[in-house]
Each structure stands twice: as C-alpha cells, then as structure tokens.
Amino acid sequence: MSTAYGLATGTTSAEGVTTDRTDAHPHTTDRAEAGPYAADWADAGPYAAALRAGRGPLFLRRSDGWLLPLDVERWCARADAADLAVLDRCEGAVLDVGCGPGRLVAELAARGRPVLGVDVSRAAVNRTRELGGQALLRSVFDPLPAEGRWATVLLMDGNIGIGGDPRALLDRVGALLAPGGLLIAETAQMDVDERAEVQVVDVVHSCGSGGSADAFPWARLGTPALLRYAGRARWRAVRQWTAGDRRFLALRSRRASSSAEPPKSTAVISSQRVRKPSGDRPVPNR
C-alpha cells in the first residue's frame, strides 16, 4: 500500500500525517462539515469539458471582457521540467491545493511520496485519481485532513489567486502547515496585484453566450506583491526563481517557538478557488 493511499484513507501514518478513512471518498462526508463539494462553475460547462478532453481553449474572463488564457494542455500533460524542479524541493507530506487534473499529485505518488490533492472540480478529482493520485473534492477553505501537520503546501499555476483574497489564503495555508512548513507558490510574470470577479469560458462562449454563468472571486499576484502580503503575515521568504516564463516563490511559515530547529538550507518550494491561469497578460476579448 502506498503512502499516498494511506495518507488519504487513514490506513497509513506518513510523516506524522494521518487522516480519517472517510476522507478517501468525500461523498461519504457530512455536507454540513465539509461544505459544498464542488463549485458550480467547475462542475459543468467549459471547465469540466476541457479537463475531460485534456485540451482548451479555455479562459478566465473578467467583467470588463478581458481574457486570461488557461494552459489546459500543460495541466493535463505529465509534469514538465519546471514542475519537477518544484517537486524536488518539497518536504515531507505534500498538499496540492487546486490540484486540477493531477499531474503533480501523480508524479509525487509515483515517487512514493505522501501527497494529497484538493480541488473543487469533480472532473479534476476524477482525473487525478485515474492517474493513481489521491484527491478530495474540497475547497481549501473547507475542513481538510491533517490540518496543522502538512510539511509542504503547493499553490501552482496561479492558485495563489484562489478566493480572491491573498491574505485570507495565506492565513488558511498557514493553518494547514506544520510550524515552519513550506509553501511554494507560482506567481504571475509581471508585478501585478489584481482582484476581480471572473468566469471560466471557452472560445465559443467568450462573447458571453452560453458560457459559465457563475462568476467567482480571483486574484493575480506577481512575486513582489506576494512578498508584501507574506511579510505582513510574518512568512519568511526562502527563495524565488524562474523557469522559462514561469515564476516561483518559496515561503516558510512561522515556527511554534524561537527554539525550533532552523530550516534546511536546501528546502525551497512553490505553489484559485480553482484553476488556473498560466498566462500573465490578459488579452483583449475580440
């Protein structure tokens, strides 16, 4: 039995992280405790269809009509070199927030690492499980297994934008991590600090007919903006780096006490309500 499976089912203890068996199948969990399992916009329409097909086109559309391309093909492919460099830096048990179709969860599971993905899209969770990874149909703001004991949290592919409130998301991730735990976030290429209501649309529906009717809050942050938010919340920057046109920032959470052991010098890591902008410049809707 793999540690990844045990992590989700509670049958195995991995690096101090053990969860209830009910967490392996979120439909068995009481809805009042877990909250809504799937966001309406993620459960049907263009987003779910794109994940099932493994390809776009797909966009986030702001209310002013500007579009941000979503890199569905990359999400549905195997982890690329930039992804692998992030995964090599993960410590201990890993929680992938907004895991999407599961390329990172599957890669870590194949390495025998304890890892769990969470996403608000049934299509994303199903695809992750088909790849051999463990995933729950949850929002990061719902109750999650092993809160306060994760060693690493990933917010990849722009997922620092989940919920449209970076400060609230950082607070939530801090509560999920063990003291001194590692957050790896992927940020926008440009120095942007933007919050907006967005919809997921495909190219056919990008002019507003028949696309997703459900807007949700989203944020886009460049590395400087995330560093500002993190500093106010007393996160410690560990490292920032680039890979091609992608940007990453590793942050370490506050430790329980000043006597805690100093972090390993080699540890670095990166990481919306769900998925996932990859481009940094919105393109005008034409």
Side-chain angles (χ1 to χ4, degrees):
M1 179 182 297
S2 72
T3 54
Y5 180 83
L7 183 63
T9 62
T11 56
T12 299
S13 177
E15 313 220 8
V17 175
T18 309
T19 68
D20 293 335
R21 183 175 297 274
T22 54
D23 282 310
H25 303 287
H27 59 268
T28 65
T29 308
D30 183 75
R31 213 174 169 89
E33 291 183 345
Y37 295 143
D40 291 341
W41 65 265
D43 208 25
Y47 183 75
L51 289 194
R52 286 192 292 266
R55 62 182 183 274
L58 200 66
F59 305 88
L60 285 185
R61 185 182 65 198
R62 296 190 318 217
S63 59
D64 61 5
W66 283 62
L67 300 174
L68 186 67
L70 304 180
D71 200 350
V72 178
E73 288 83 358
R74 179 170 64 79
W75 303 341
C76 292
R78 299 189 59 163
D80 62 18
D83 296 328
L84 296 176
V86 167
L87 300 185
D88 288 344
R89 295 175 169 99
C90 289
E91 301 173 350
V94 180
L95 182 67
D96 185 4
V97 172
C99 66
R103 74 189 191 279
L104 305 180
V105 175
E107 174 63 28
L108 285 170
R111 297 181 183 190
R113 294 291 299 273
V115 57
L116 181 67
V118 295
D119 205 291
V120 298
S121 163
R122 285 188 175 88
V125 168
N126 289 341
R127 186 154 181 152
T128 300
R129 292 173 177 173
E130 289 168 2
L131 292 176
Q134 289 296 310
L136 298 181
L137 188 61
R138 299 283 172 85
S139 163
V140 65
F141 295 104
D142 287 334
L144 292 173
E147 296 197 9
R149 286 178 285 161
W150 295 97
T152 301
V153 168
L154 298 178
L155 286 171
M156 295 285 281
D157 304 317
N159 279 340
I160 188 63
I162 288 173
D165 186 339
R167 285 173 289 191
L169 183 57
L170 284 172
D171 286 346
R172 177 59 176 146
V173 170
L176 293 169
L177 284 167
L182 197 61
L183 164 63
I184 300 182
E186 184 170 353
T187 59
Q189 290 180 22
M190 57 197 304
D191 185 6
V192 61
D193 184 355
E194 173 186 275
R195 278 160 276 187
E197 292 285 317
V198 298
Q199 295 171 293
V200 177
V201 297
D202 58 27
V203 68
V204 174
H205 300 134
S206 63
C207 292
S209 60
S212 172
D214 300 296
F216 57 93
W218 193 259
R220 293 176 63 236
L221 296 183
T223 297
L226 181 51
L227 283 169
R228 289 193 294 271
Y229 285 112
R232 293 167 192 156
R234 293 192 293 161
W235 290 77
R236 184 170 64 85
V238 177
R239 183 177 173 184
Q240 52 184 292
W241 72 97
T242 64
D245 61 355
R246 298 171 67 187
R247 306 288 184 266
F248 303 93
L249 175 63
L251 299 167
R252 196 171 291 281
S253 66
R254 294 168 291 190
R255 292 189 165 262
S257 70
S258 59
S259 63
E261 183 178 334
K264 296 184 290 184
S265 60
T266 57
V268 296
I269 314 252
S270 98
S271 102
Q272 101 153 201
R273 203 149 142 188
V274 282
R275 294 260 93 160
K276 264 176 173 181
S278 61
D280 278 306
R281 291 185 180 273
V283 297
N285 181 14
R286 297 176 181 173

Coordinates of all heavy atoms in Angstrom, one line a residue, residues 54-94:
G54 N -8.8 17.2 -22.1 CA -7.4 17.4 -22.0 C -6.9 18.5 -22.8 O -5.7 18.6 -23.1
R55 N -7.8 19.4 -23.3 CA -7.3 20.5 -24.1 C -8.3 21.7 -24.0 O -9.4 21.5 -23.7 CB -7.1 20.1 -25.6 CG -8.4 19.6 -26.2 CD -8.2 19.1 -27.6 NE -9.5 18.7 -28.3 CZ -10.0 17.5 -28.2 NH1 -9.4 16.6 -27.5 NH2 -11.1 17.3 -28.8
G56 N -7.8 22.8 -24.4 CA -8.6 24.0 -24.5 C -9.2 24.2 -25.9 O -9.4 23.2 -26.6
P57 N -9.5 25.5 -26.2 CA -9.1 26.7 -25.5 C -10.0 27.0 -24.3 O -11.2 26.6 -24.3 CB -9.3 27.8 -26.5 CG -10.3 27.2 -27.5 CD -10.1 25.8 -27.5
L58 N -9.5 27.7 -23.3 CA -10.2 28.0 -22.1 C -9.6 29.3 -21.5 O -8.4 29.5 -21.6 CB -10.1 26.9 -21.1 CG -11.1 26.8 -19.9 CD1 -12.5 26.5 -20.5 CD2 -10.7 25.8 -18.9
F59 N -10.5 30.1 -21.0 CA -10.0 31.4 -20.5 C -10.7 31.8 -19.2 O -11.8 31.3 -18.9 CB -10.4 32.5 -21.5 CG -9.9 32.3 -22.9 CD1 -10.6 31.6 -23.8 CD2 -8.6 32.9 -23.3 CE1 -10.1 31.4 -25.1 CE2 -8.2 32.7 -24.5 CZ -8.9 31.9 -25.5
L60 N -10.1 32.6 -18.4 CA -10.8 33.4 -17.3 C -11.2 34.7 -18.0 O -10.3 35.4 -18.6 CB -9.9 33.6 -16.1 CG -9.6 32.5 -15.2 CD1 -8.7 33.0 -14.0 CD2 -10.8 31.8 -14.7
R61 N -12.4 35.1 -17.8 CA -12.9 36.3 -18.3 C -13.3 37.3 -17.2 O -14.1 36.9 -16.4 CB -14.1 36.1 -19.3 CG -14.6 37.4 -20.0 CD -15.8 37.2 -20.9 NE -16.9 36.7 -20.1 CZ -18.0 36.1 -20.6 NH1 -18.0 35.8 -21.8 NH2 -19.0 35.8 -19.8
R62 N -12.7 38.5 -17.2 CA -13.2 39.5 -16.3 C -14.4 40.1 -16.7 O -14.8 40.0 -17.9 CB -12.1 40.5 -16.1 CG -10.8 40.0 -15.5 CD -9.8 41.1 -15.1 NE -9.7 42.2 -16.1 CZ -8.6 42.8 -16.4 NH1 -7.5 42.5 -15.8 NH2 -8.6 43.8 -17.3
S63 N -15.1 40.9 -15.8 CA -16.3 41.6 -16.2 C -16.2 42.6 -17.3 O -17.1 42.9 -17.9 CB -16.9 42.2 -14.9 OG -16.0 43.1 -14.4
D64 N -14.9 43.1 -17.4 CA -14.7 44.1 -18.5 C -14.4 43.4 -19.8 O -14.2 44.1 -20.8 CB -13.6 45.0 -18.1 CG -12.2 44.3 -17.9 OD1 -12.2 43.1 -18.2 OD2 -11.2 45.0 -17.5
G65 N -14.5 42.1 -19.9 CA -14.3 41.4 -21.2 C -12.9 40.9 -21.5 O -12.7 40.2 -22.4
W66 N -11.9 41.3 -20.6 CA -10.6 40.8 -20.9 C -10.5 39.4 -20.5 O -11.1 38.9 -19.6 CB -9.6 41.7 -20.1 CG -9.4 43.0 -20.7 CD1 -10.3 44.0 -20.9 CD2 -8.1 43.5 -21.2 NE1 -9.7 45.1 -21.5 CE2 -8.4 44.8 -21.7 CE3 -6.8 43.0 -21.2 CZ2 -7.3 45.6 -22.2 CZ3 -5.8 43.8 -21.8 CH2 -6.1 45.1 -22.3
L67 N -9.6 38.7 -21.3 CA -9.4 37.2 -21.2 C -8.0 36.9 -20.7 O -7.0 37.4 -21.2 CB -9.7 36.6 -22.5 CG -11.1 36.8 -23.1 CD1 -11.2 36.1 -24.5 CD2 -12.2 36.2 -22.2
L68 N -7.9 35.9 -19.9 CA -6.6 35.3 -19.4 C -6.6 33.9 -19.9 O -7.4 33.0 -19.4 CB -6.5 35.4 -17.9 CG -5.2 35.0 -17.3 CD1 -4.1 36.0 -17.8 CD2 -5.2 34.9 -15.8
P69 N -5.7 33.5 -20.8 CA -5.6 32.1 -21.3 C -5.3 31.1 -20.2 O -4.4 31.4 -19.3 CB -4.6 32.1 -22.3 CG -4.4 33.6 -22.7 CD -4.7 34.3 -21.4
L70 N -5.9 30.0 -20.2 CA -5.6 28.9 -19.2 C -4.9 27.7 -20.0 O -5.4 27.3 -21.0 CB -6.9 28.4 -18.6 CG -7.8 29.5 -17.9 CD1 -9.0 28.8 -17.3 CD2 -6.9 30.2 -16.8
D71 N -3.8 27.3 -19.4 CA -3.0 26.3 -20.1 C -3.4 24.9 -19.9 O -2.7 24.1 -19.2 CB -1.5 26.5 -19.7 CG -0.5 25.9 -20.7 OD1 -1.0 25.2 -21.6 OD2 0.7 26.2 -20.6
V72 N -4.6 24.5 -20.4 CA -5.2 23.2 -20.1 C -4.3 22.1 -20.5 O -4.1 21.1 -19.8 CB -6.6 23.1 -20.7 CG1 -7.2 21.7 -20.5 CG2 -7.5 24.2 -20.2
E73 N -3.7 22.2 -21.7 CA -2.8 21.1 -22.2 C -1.7 20.8 -21.3 O -1.3 19.7 -21.1 CB -2.3 21.5 -23.6 CG -3.4 21.4 -24.7 CD -4.2 22.7 -24.8 OE1 -4.0 23.6 -24.0 OE2 -5.1 22.8 -25.7
R74 N -1.1 21.9 -20.8 CA 0.0 21.7 -19.8 C -0.4 21.0 -18.5 O 0.2 20.1 -18.0 CB 0.8 23.0 -19.5 CG 1.9 22.8 -18.6 CD 2.8 24.1 -18.5 NE 2.1 25.2 -17.9 CZ 1.8 25.4 -16.6 NH1 2.2 24.5 -15.7 NH2 1.2 26.5 -16.2
W75 N -1.6 21.5 -18.0 CA -2.1 20.9 -16.8 C -2.4 19.4 -17.0 O -2.2 18.6 -16.0 CB -3.4 21.5 -16.4 CG -3.3 23.0 -16.2 CD1 -2.2 23.8 -16.0 CD2 -4.4 23.9 -16.2 NE1 -2.5 25.1 -15.9 CE2 -3.8 25.2 -16.0 CE3 -5.7 23.8 -16.3 CZ2 -4.6 26.4 -15.9 CZ3 -6.5 24.9 -16.2 CH2 -6.0 26.2 -16.0
C76 N -2.9 19.0 -18.2 CA -3.3 17.6 -18.4 C -2.1 16.7 -18.9 O -2.3 15.5 -19.1 CB -4.4 17.6 -19.4 SG -6.0 18.3 -18.8
A77 N -0.9 17.3 -19.1 CA 0.2 16.6 -19.5 C 1.0 16.1 -18.3 O 0.6 16.3 -17.2 CB 1.1 17.4 -20.4
R78 N 2.1 15.4 -18.5 CA 2.9 15.0 -17.4 C 3.7 16.2 -16.9 O 3.8 17.2 -17.6 CB 3.9 13.9 -17.9 CG 3.3 12.7 -18.4 CD 4.3 11.6 -18.6 NE 5.0 11.2 -17.4 CZ 5.7 10.1 -17.2 NH1 5.8 9.2 -18.2 NH2 6.4 9.9 -16.1
A79 N 4.1 16.1 -15.6 CA 4.9 17.2 -15.0 C 6.1 17.5 -15.9 O 6.8 16.6 -16.4 CB 5.3 16.8 -13.6
D80 N 6.3 18.8 -16.2 CA 7.4 19.2 -17.0 C 8.6 19.6 -16.1 O 8.6 19.4 -14.9 CB 7.0 20.4 -17.9 CG 6.6 21.7 -17.1 OD1 7.0 21.8 -15.9 OD2 6.0 22.6 -17.7
A81 N 9.7 20.1 -16.8 CA 10.9 20.3 -16.1 C 10.8 21.3 -14.9 O 11.3 21.2 -13.8 CB 12.0 20.7 -17.0
A82 N 10.0 22.4 -15.2 CA 9.8 23.4 -14.1 C 9.0 22.8 -13.0 O 9.3 23.0 -11.8 CB 9.0 24.6 -14.7
D83 N 8.0 21.9 -13.3 CA 7.3 21.2 -12.2 C 8.2 20.3 -11.4 O 8.1 20.3 -10.2 CB 6.1 20.4 -12.8 CG 5.1 21.2 -13.6 OD1 4.8 22.3 -13.2 OD2 4.5 20.6 -14.5
L84 N 9.0 19.6 -12.1 CA 9.9 18.6 -11.4 C 10.8 19.3 -10.5 O 11.2 18.8 -9.4 CB 10.6 17.8 -12.4 CG 9.8 16.9 -13.3 CD1 10.6 16.1 -14.3 CD2 9.0 15.8 -12.4
A85 N 11.3 20.5 -10.9 CA 12.2 21.3 -10.0 C 11.5 21.7 -8.8 O 12.1 21.7 -7.7 CB 12.7 22.5 -10.8
V86 N 10.2 22.0 -8.8 CA 9.4 22.3 -7.7 C 9.3 21.1 -6.8 O 9.5 21.1 -5.6 CB 8.0 22.9 -8.1 CG1 7.1 22.9 -6.9 CG2 8.2 24.3 -8.7
L87 N 8.9 20.0 -7.4 CA 8.6 18.8 -6.6 C 9.9 18.3 -5.9 O 9.8 17.7 -4.8 CB 8.0 17.7 -7.5 CG 6.7 18.0 -8.2 CD1 6.2 16.8 -9.0 CD2 5.7 18.6 -7.2
D88 N 11.0 18.5 -6.5 CA 12.3 18.1 -5.9 C 12.6 18.8 -4.6 O 13.3 18.3 -3.7 CB 13.5 18.3 -6.9 CG 13.5 17.3 -8.0 OD1 12.8 16.3 -8.0 OD2 14.2 17.6 -9.0
R89 N 12.0 20.0 -4.4 CA 12.2 20.8 -3.3 C 11.1 20.6 -2.2 O 11.2 21.1 -1.1 CB 12.2 22.3 -3.7 CG 13.4 22.6 -4.6 CD 13.3 24.1 -5.0 NE 14.5 24.5 -5.7 CZ 14.7 24.6 -7.0 NH1 13.7 24.2 -7.8 NH2 15.8 25.0 -7.5
C90 N 10.1 19.7 -2.5 CA 9.1 19.5 -1.5 C 9.6 18.8 -0.3 O 10.5 17.9 -0.4 CB 7.9 18.7 -2.1 SG 6.9 19.6 -3.3
E91 N 9.1 19.1 0.9 CA 9.5 18.4 2.1 C 8.3 17.6 2.7 O 7.1 18.1 2.6 CB 9.9 19.5 3.2 CG 11.0 20.3 2.8 CD 11.3 21.5 3.8 OE1 10.5 21.7 4.7 OE2 12.3 22.1 3.6
G92 N 8.5 16.4 3.2 CA 7.5 15.7 3.9 C 6.3 15.5 3.1 O 6.2 15.3 1.9
A93 N 5.1 15.4 3.9 CA 3.8 15.2 3.3 C 3.3 16.5 2.6 O 3.4 17.6 3.1 CB 2.8 14.8 4.3
V94 N 2.9 16.3 1.3 CA 2.6 17.4 0.5 C 1.1 17.5 0.2 O 0.4 16.5 -0.1 CB 3.3 17.3 -0.9 CG1 3.0 18.5 -1.8 CG2 4.8 17.1 -0.7

